[in-house]
Amino acid sequence: MSAVRENGVIVAIDGPSGAGKSSLTKLLAQRLGYIHIDTGAMFRAVALMSKRAGIATDDDARLAELCRGLDVTFVRDGASCRVLANGEDVSTEIRTEEIGLLTSAISARKPVREALLTMQRAMGAKGGVILEGRDIGTVVFPDAEVKFFLSASAEERGRRRYLELAARGDSATLEETIAKVIQRDKQDEGREHAPLKQADDALPIDSTSLSIEEVLSVMENAVRERLAQGDKG
Ligand SMILES: Nc1ncnc2c1ncn2[C@@H]1O[C@H](COP(=O)(O)OP(=O)(O)OP(=O)(O)O)[C@@H](O)[C@H]1O
Ligand SMILES: Nc1ccn([C@@H]2O[C@H](COP(=O)(O)O)[C@@H](O)[C@H]2O)c(=O)n1
């Protein structure tokens, strides 16, 4: 177990779509005074920009060129965070289901993963960060001091996403939403590069029957226990 870093520990939260990663990362970051790094938003920004540029999802050369010229940053907006791509606020545009599915295809490409891996490691190396994604504990920071793998049944994750979309006026049915969650799971788990999987040393949390507050309590206790170990860990 590595010593605590300059700004604190690195916390990795991985898991499939709709498991609650963003919700819990935001709350846990507030509790700890840590920085929230939404790596999914970074992949979504690449997907949005590639769509605008008319780049095919398997055109690695053009995807690599796009990533070289792309600067993805996070800007605090009260209790929330805005996502900027080359200075443009793309926070809303990257959240559509269309972009979510496109992102799942784009994020399977090696040049995209290599480019964002470099950015993510630079953002989190000094600690005091919580990164959420699919490969944080396995690829980005395999030496993270605290790792969680947050999951829930596909039906529950689809139900959560359905409620979220309905609140935004989206007309997708529950059945359609569950099917899209399962489709994204298969794409994320089945790809060659950095597939979604639980790190061997990650604490698994099945949130199917747990409230956000219950999950947050488990996570916060685990992080504070590690912090109490300090450099002895
Ligand atoms: N334990 C829970 N119980 C009930 N609802 C939850 C729970 N966790 C998250 N939610 C709700 O489920 C929806 C999806 O949560 P969230 O966006 O945090 O998941 P995610 O894992 O980040 O998904 P994605 O990877 O697709 O972005 C949100 O509306 C959130 O409020
Ligand atoms: N570390 C990551 C994070 C995300 N992805 C891909 O992005 C898609 C969108 O992620 P959300 O968390 O915003 O839903 C996701 O389905 C993955 O395909 C990734 O590959 N690695």
Side-chain angles (χ1 to χ4, degrees), residues 15-24 44 95 132 134 156 159-161 164 184 207 210-212 215:
S17 176
K21 299 183 301 300
S22 293
S23 305
L24 271 301
R44 287 172 178 266
R95 293 296 171 195
E132 54 150 307
R134 302 299 189 280
E156 172 61 10
R159 184 189 70 83
R160 294 170 184 175
R161 180 64 74 216
E164 202 176 30
R184 269 223 274 159
S207 70
L210 295 176
S211 69
I212 290 176
V215 176

Side-chain angles (χ1 to χ4, degrees), residues 23 52 60 85 93 107 119 126 139 181 200:
S23 305
R52 287 183 182 178
D60 287 343
E93 246 184 298
S107 61
M119 292 184 204
K126 292 185 178 177
V139 176
V181 161
D200 293 340

Side-chain angles (χ1 to χ4, degrees), residues 14-15 17-18 21-22 38-41 43-44 95 99-100 103-105 107-108 113 120 132-136 140 161 184 187-188 191 194:
D14 290 309
S17 176
K21 299 183 301 300
S22 293
D38 181 349
T39 64
F43 284 95
R44 287 172 178 266
R95 293 296 171 195
I99 292 298
T103 305
S104 206
S107 61
R113 303 215 68 88
Q120 290 156 10
E132 54 150 307
R134 302 299 189 280
D135 62 336
I136 310 303
V140 184
R161 180 64 74 216
R184 269 223 274 159
Q187 286 182 236
D188 292 344
R191 66 186 179 217

